Amino acid sequence: MKHPTDEQLFRRLQQGDTAVMGTLFERYKTIIYNYFLRMTHSEEDAGDLLMTVFERIHKYQKSFKGKGKVRSWIFQIGNNVLKDYWRQQKRDMDQVYELNNSLEFSGDFSEEKQQDHKMLYKALNYLSLTEKNRVTMYYLLEMSYAEISEAEGISINAARISVHRGLKNLHKLLKNSGI
Amino acid sequence: MKEQESYEELVEQLKQLPKKEVSSAVNQRFEAMEELWNKETHRKSSNSPKWYGIAASIAALIALLLWWPFGTSIQDHYSAMEDASDKMAIIHELSAKTLQDNDVAWLGDVLKTEENPNIRVFILDLLEIHESAETHDLLNPLQEENVPAVQMAYLNLARQFESEEIMDQLVVFQRRTDLDPSVTEKVATIISEINNN
C-alpha cells in the first residue's frame, strides 16, 4: 500500500486520529533531533527540544490551515522552539558561541572522513547562531530559501544571501585558519 | 574553477555529515506523551455521546450513585484502575491542584511499585512541575531504575533540589556501567551544577 503523504496524515490528525502523531514522530524524529543536536551540541537538550516540537504540533494542529507543506510547518515550529531555547539561555543570535565539541558520531566512516566531519563541526561552531541555523536549515533540513525566509521572517533574497555568506565563511574558516 | 570545486566539495560534506539516532529514552518519553493524547482524544469523543450513549451514561451514573463508596480518595480510585492510560489520566488530574504532603508521599509509594515506566515518568514529571517534592527519599528508587526515560525523569527531579545532600546518590548512580549516554551526560551536568553552586 502507498504511504500516506504528510498532508493526508495531518488531515486525519485534525479529525481526531492521534495515532498519526506516532507516524509523524517516526518520519521526523531523526532529522529534527539532529538539527537540534548540531545547534546545541547537547543530546539532552536536543531530546528535550524534540519533545517540545511534538507537543506543539499536537497543541497547535488546528492552526495548520493546509497552506503549504506540513513538513515546512513542522520545521518552522522547530526553528521557533530553538529560538525560544536561545532566548532562555540569553544567547544573542548574531554572536558566535563555543559549544562542547565532544559529540561522537558512530558509523562506517574512514578515519580521514571522521576527521573531516570533526573539522566541519568545529568550523560550523565559528559561525554566528543565525548563520549556522540557516546553513543547517538549508543543508540538513533541506528547506528551500522560500521556506527559510518564511520561518525567519526575512525576504527570500536575504535568506539566500545569508546561507551563501555562511557557506563562504565556512569555506574560509576551513581553508585559512587550520581548523 | 578550483575554488568552485572546493565549494562543491564543502556542500557535499555538509550534506553527508553523519546523523545520530534518537535515544531509547527520548522514544519512551514520546510514547508516554502519545498515551496521554490518546486518552484525551478518547475522553473528548466519549463526551459527545449519541442517544443510546446518553442512556448508557444515565444507567452508569445510577449504578455509580448506588455503588460508589463516597469519600473514595484519588489513591483508591487509582488502585482500582488496571489500564495504564486510566492511571495516567488520574495522575493528570492531580496536575491541576497543588500537591499536598500526603499526595507526594502517595506518589512516592506508587513510584516504588508501579511497573509501567510511562506512568513512572508521568509521576516524576508531575513532582518536578509542582516543585513540591521536598523529600530527597523520592530519589531512592533511581539506583534500581533501569529504564533510561525514567532515569532521565528522576534526574530532572534531582536537578530541582540543587543540593549537596543528593550528591552521594548521584555519584553512586553515575558509577553504573549500563547507562544510556544521554543519561550519563545528564547526571554529569547535574553533579557539575551542584559543585559550581
Side-chain angles (χ1 to χ4, degrees):
Chain A
M1 205 179 103
K2 210 176 141 188
H3 284 296
T5 63
D6 291 345
E7 286 66 30
Q8 287 167 333
L9 284 175
F10 217 79
R11 268 195 294 278
R12 275 169 46 192
L13 176 65
Q14 290 175 323
Q15 286 159 8
D17 182 0
T18 41
V20 160
M21 287 300 294
T23 314
L24 289 173
F25 184 70
E26 284 308 314
R27 281 189 189 179
Y28 287 100
K29 65 178 182 182
T30 309
I31 191 91
I32 298 177
Y33 177 71
N34 278 276
Y35 166 59
F36 290 138
L37 200 54
R38 284 187 199 177
M39 296 307 294
T40 64
H41 279 219
S42 157
E43 293 187 43
E44 184 195 333
D45 290 346
D48 287 347
L49 297 177
L50 177 66
M51 286 300 112
T52 309
V53 167
F54 278 85
E55 273 172 15
R56 289 196 191 175
I57 292 173
H58 185 262
K59 191 171 174 186
Y60 300 115
Q61 52 178 277
K62 301 281 182 213
S63 70
F64 180 74
K65 302 291 182 201
K67 286 179 190 165
K69 289 182 178 169
V70 168
R71 182 182 146 278
S72 14
W73 184 71
I74 291 176
F75 289 163
Q76 231 179 76
I77 291 178
N79 184 42
N80 291 338
V81 166
L82 183 71
K83 296 271 177 71
D84 291 345
Y85 167 84
W86 290 133
R87 260 193 293 275
Q88 277 169 7
Q89 306 254 321
K90 297 191 169 62
R91 298 284 170 102
D92 179 346
M93 291 297 287
D94 294 324
Q95 294 296 314
V96 174
Y97 291 94
E98 198 177 326
L99 297 171
N100 150 36
N101 255 325
S102 62
L103 280 184
E104 292 291 341
F105 289 84
S106 53
D108 281 339
F109 297 104
S110 65
E111 208 158 296
E112 190 189 352
K113 211 61 178 165
Q114 285 183 29
Q115 201 52 38
D116 286 350
H117 294 153
K118 272 189 183 165
M119 281 165 64
L120 189 49
Y121 268 112
K122 207 169 172 191
L124 274 165
N125 265 347
Y126 284 93
L127 300 183
S128 72
L129 293 182
T130 297
E131 265 183 3
K132 185 176 163 183
N133 187 27
R134 290 176 187 167
V135 166
T136 309
M137 283 197 276
Y138 191 76
Y139 289 107
L140 172 73
L141 300 182
E142 297 181 352
M143 289 171 77
S144 65
Y145 294 125
E147 287 170 328
I148 295 173
S149 89
E150 202 174 327
E152 292 277 87
I154 53 175
S155 70
I156 295 179
N157 207 30
R160 185 185 292 116
I161 291 169
S162 185
V163 172
H164 278 237
R165 193 182 296 134
L167 190 68
K168 205 171 161 184
N169 287 338
L170 209 50
H171 188 260
K172 209 180 336 176
L173 279 161
L174 287 165
K175 198 174 158 194
N176 299 336
S177 67
I179 287 171
Chain B
M1 189 63 193
K2 208 169 181 186
E3 186 86 346
Q4 181 64 26
E5 276 173 17
S6 148
Y7 267 105
E8 282 168 10
E9 201 181 316
L10 174 60
V11 167
E12 269 320 296
Q13 274 186 9
L14 275 169
K15 287 180 178 172
Q16 286 172 8
L17 272 176
K19 296 184 186 77
K20 246 186 174 1
E21 289 302 319
V22 171
S23 70
S24 57
V26 172
N27 281 320
Q28 283 166 4
R29 279 172 66 190
F30 179 79
E31 281 165 22
M33 218 155 72
E34 207 181 11
E35 201 158 336
L36 184 67
W37 292 332
N38 290 337
K39 183 72 195 170
E40 274 175 9
T41 310
H42 180 70
R43 267 192 183 175
K44 278 180 194 163
S45 61
S46 54
N47 280 344
S48 51
K50 296 194 169 61
W51 68 268
Y52 49 85
I54 295 173
S57 303
I58 292 170
L61 184 64
I62 292 168
L64 193 66
L65 286 172
L66 289 172
W67 292 99
W68 184 259
F70 287 99
T72 299
S73 64
I74 202 161
Q75 286 94 323
D76 293 335
H77 197 179
Y78 181 90
S79 310
M81 294 294 161
E82 285 183 5
D83 188 56
S85 53
D86 287 330
K87 288 181 172 181
M88 284 167 92
I90 291 174
I91 295 165
H92 185 59
E93 278 169 26
L94 273 178
S95 64
K97 64 174 222 168
T98 307
L99 292 184
Q100 305 299 319
D101 287 349
N102 61 330
D103 294 323
V104 175
W106 172 67
L107 289 168
D109 288 340
V110 177
L111 273 176
K112 289 178 201 156
T113 53
E114 179 54 63
E115 288 178 1
N116 186 311
N118 290 337
I119 297 179
R120 297 204 294 279
V121 169
F122 217 63
I123 292 173
L124 288 161
D125 284 350
L126 176 68
L127 290 169
E128 186 203 345
I129 293 163
H130 278 266
E131 296 181 351
S132 55
E134 295 298 332
T135 165
H136 299 161
D137 294 343
L138 286 169
L139 294 179
N140 290 341
L142 170 65
Q143 308 300 342
E144 307 298 322
E145 183 59 62
N146 290 319
V147 181
V150 188
Q151 292 169 340
M152 292 291 262
Y154 270 111
L155 292 173
N156 283 333
L157 183 63
R159 194 172 225 164
Q160 95 180 17
F161 292 129
E162 283 182 353
S163 147
E164 284 186 17
E165 287 171 49
I166 60 165
M167 196 58 135
D168 290 345
Q169 282 172 297
L170 294 177
V171 170
V172 170
F173 178 67
Q174 195 186 27
R175 285 196 202 116
R176 279 177 56 168
T177 51
D178 59 343
L179 298 178
D180 185 273
S182 57
V183 177
T184 309
E185 183 189 335
K186 188 156 200 152
V187 70
T189 309
I190 298 173
I191 288 175
S192 127
E193 281 171 2
I194 295 174
N195 280 333
N196 291 335
N197 286 338

